[in-house]
Amino acid sequence: MNCDDTDYEVLASQIESLLKRPDGALQIRDEKTRRRLVEGARKLAESLEFPRETYRRIQYSHLVLPLAVVGVDTGVFSALASENRPFCSTELAKKTGVDTQLLRRLLRYYQATDMISQVAVDTYQSSPVANVLSSDNHSDSLRFTHKITAQGSSNLPDWLRSIQYSCPVGVSPTAWTSSIPSELDPFTYLKHNPWALKLFQSHMMAQRVGRKSLMDAFDFKKHLNTQDISSSTFLFVDIGGGTGSQSLAFRKQYSKLPGRVALQDRPEVVERVKPMFANIENIEAEVYDFSTTPQPIRGARVYYMRNIFHAWADAKCVEILLNIKAGMTEQSVLMIDEIAIPETNAKGQAAQHDLEVMICVGGVERTEGQWASLLSGVGLIVHEIVKYDEDYEDALIIAGLA
Ligand SMILES: C[S@@+](CC[C@H](N)C(=O)[O-])C[C@H]1O[C@@H](n2cnc3c(N)ncnc32)[C@H](O)[C@@H]1O
């Protein structure tokens, strides 16, 4: 027994027996408890490490992403996930065309990093994570991070030195575009590289899987000014709506409300979305540039923007906000669906997103205070900040004309 009364032998045995249970996490029904355990176990594991072990963990972290991409590209993960049974390396080599000797080394790494499990000598089985990595959106999301964000993060030390460690918000080229290198701004680069746009859109969708949905957490009907709504009223304008997931979710959830839903985005994005909207009533997609053009739809009830402002510096956000404000009337609200970072104890997810947008687009995730001052600077007043997913610091910032 230790002096702090914790019997570490017993604790270690309990943890080991929990780990032997198949699908252990699924047995914890209470989500709050599950998340507390995830966070507690992670912190405990890290606090138990000697500094030399932490150093090695950090040093070898660069292997995880490229090796996961190899697992996706070779079809190793999807081959394992195709059946709920173990496979030996020769069978997997036949299925994937990967040399058996190389495959054995890869499989050893995947089991050591818990991407798959090993059930006997030279015998491996899929795991929940390998099953997820086999899905198209997640595979492409990994490829996006590998081909784009990771190029920028490798370049980060040199890039930050080259800008004398100044705050890189709005700095162009970004850590990523200077690594390609490209003179194009990030979104124009995507336009000229359809392969990258496809990966980016998959990344956007995969990032949201399993996260709390705004449509479930927030009752738009309660906040919508539904007076005088007619079939021609614009209810929900999804500015920079991307793949259309939020426009579609809103239309589905409020199918009984009369009125129109519109998605606005760049031409190459609208072109992809239009066929998806073709057979759905009261939903449309139009080309609109929020940087240069005053909002053409006047008096919509909700102007909704998810993950837009974090790509831009304050000066550019002011231009975008003034363009939206030009369309707003007293009946309108602006709803910004983004991270609002707390001043203390920000979660890892939010801190990671902040660096991702810094690297890729020279952007920034803002604190609640930064949101309020940005909006008041253009004559908009924050009515309410609804935090709907504490783990990601996801928030809905609702503002109206001052
Ligand atoms: C990070 S994505 C967010 C997409 C979507 N709102 C979501 O949350 O899934 C940013 C979106 O802004 C669009 N965008 C970038 N610059 C734009 C501009 N000047 N005018 C209109 N849309 C723009 C991009 O094409 C992309 O679809």
Side-chain angles (χ1 to χ4, degrees):
M1 183 70 81
N2 295 278
C3 57
D4 66 1
D5 273 358
T6 306
D7 188 330
Y8 291 111
E9 281 300 321
V10 171
L11 182 60
S13 303
Q14 283 177 337
I15 292 171
E16 282 156 8
S17 72
L18 268 178
L19 291 173
K20 281 192 193 123
R21 291 193 201 165
D23 298 334
L26 298 181
Q27 293 170 15
I28 300 169
R29 293 214 177 83
D30 183 66
E31 179 57 10
K32 270 202 174 141
T33 308
R34 191 192 68 80
R35 290 200 175 184
R36 273 180 67 202
L37 283 167
V38 168
E39 197 56 9
R42 183 185 66 75
K43 286 199 166 157
L44 178 66
E46 288 173 9
S47 71
L48 284 171
E49 286 177 348
F50 288 121
R52 63 171 188 275
E53 293 168 326
T54 310
Y55 144 80
R56 285 177 74 79
R57 180 167 52 76
I58 293 169
Q59 188 175 42
Y60 285 93
S61 60
H62 72 99
L63 286 176
V64 181
L65 176 64
L67 264 298
V69 173
V70 171
V72 161
D73 284 350
T74 53
V76 169
F77 293 148
S78 51
L80 282 164
S82 65
E83 288 176 68
N84 186 18
R85 66 169 176 92
F87 290 84
C88 67
S89 57
T90 40
E91 190 181 3
L92 282 174
K94 264 197 209 125
K95 271 179 167 263
T96 59
V98 178
D99 174 82
T100 313
Q101 296 305 319
L102 169 62
L103 193 57
R104 286 187 180 140
R105 295 166 72 184
L106 295 174
L107 292 167
R108 182 165 56 208
Y109 176 82
Y110 296 142
Q111 70 77 30
T113 48
D114 299 312
M115 292 192 221
I116 62 171
S117 59
Q118 182 166 19
V119 292
V121 175
D122 196 34
T123 312
Y124 298 89
Q125 189 148 3
S126 191
S127 68
V129 72
N131 296 347
V132 165
L133 294 182
S134 316
S135 77
D136 285 349
N137 275 350
H138 285 90
S139 312
D140 278 349
S141 174
L142 281 184
R143 292 184 180 112
F144 171 84
T145 309
H146 178 243
K147 285 262 178 258
I148 296 203
T149 321
Q151 305 300 318
S153 55
S154 293
N155 185 34
L156 195 58
D158 290 342
W159 179 70
L160 285 176
R161 192 178 301 112
S162 76
I163 59 168
Q164 287 92 43
Y165 301 104
S166 57
C167 180
V169 182
V171 169
S172 184
T174 65
W176 163 49
T177 50
S178 67
S179 76
I180 312 174
S182 171
E183 294 302 313
L184 300 175
D185 72 78
F187 288 110
T188 311
Y189 177 88
L190 294 183
K191 175 184 171 182
H192 291 295
N193 291 275
W195 65 267
L197 178 62
K198 178 175 174 285
L199 297 187
F200 171 66
Q201 294 200 323
S202 296
H203 182 56
M204 293 289 103
M205 287 195 274
Q207 275 198 333
R208 291 276 159 186
V209 174
R211 273 161 84 169
K212 275 190 197 155
S213 138
L214 174 67
M215 298 297 158
D216 293 338
F218 182 79
D219 187 350
F220 276 86
K221 238 176 165 173
K222 267 196 195 154
H223 288 73
L224 260 176
N225 182 346
T226 47
Q227 271 180 352
D228 313 326
I229 287 183
S230 72
S231 57
S232 61
T233 310
F234 278 97
L235 287 179
F236 186 81
V237 180
D238 188 3
I239 308 172
T243 54
S245 59
Q246 295 301 86
S247 298
L248 285 167
F250 181 90
R251 188 67 284 172
K252 199 168 148 209
Q253 187 129 338
Y254 300 101
S255 56
K256 300 239 159 58
L257 273 184
R260 296 152 78 181
V261 168
L263 176 145
Q264 300 175 322
D265 209 299
R266 296 169 56 102
E268 65 277 13
V269 177
V270 168
E271 195 182 312
R272 282 170 182 252
V273 168
K274 272 203 160 156
M276 273 167 41
F277 287 1
N279 297 320
I280 307 170
E281 269 181 43
N282 296 330
I283 185 164
E284 54 210 88
E286 65 174 30
V287 173
Y288 167 60
D289 183 342
F290 56 57
S291 296
T292 56
T293 319
Q295 176 56 242
I297 297 178
R298 193 165 160 74
R301 300 298 154 109
V302 175
Y303 294 96
Y304 174 79
M305 301 180 84
R306 186 174 75 171
N307 288 357
I308 302 296
F309 292 101
H310 69 178
W312 311 100
D314 282 4
K316 183 78 175 183
C317 290
V318 165
E319 286 172 24
I320 298 171
L321 284 166
L322 288 173
N323 281 333
I324 297 160
K325 206 181 148 197
M328 289 174 76
T329 63
E330 275 165 15
Q331 290 184 309
S332 313
V333 284
L334 169 63
M335 292 190 177
I336 299 174
D337 185 355
E338 282 207 18
I339 286 172
I341 303 190
E343 301 295 343
T344 56
N345 296 321
K347 300 269 170 34
Q349 301 284 6
Q352 266 168 214
H353 277 298
D354 179 43
L355 292 181
E356 185 180 41
V357 291
M358 178 177 94
I359 287 165
C360 293
V361 291
V364 59
E365 299 293 357
R366 293 179 167 82
T367 63
E368 289 184 16
Q370 286 172 318
W371 280 117
S373 74
L374 181 64
L375 290 162
S376 68
V378 295
L380 291 171
I381 188 159
V382 174
H383 295 322
E384 200 180 346
I385 296 186
V386 182
K387 286 231 162 187
Y388 67 92
D389 190 340
E390 299 285 335
D391 283 302
Y392 289 83
E393 320 287 9
D394 281 335
L396 190 68
I397 299 137
I398 307 173
L401 296 176

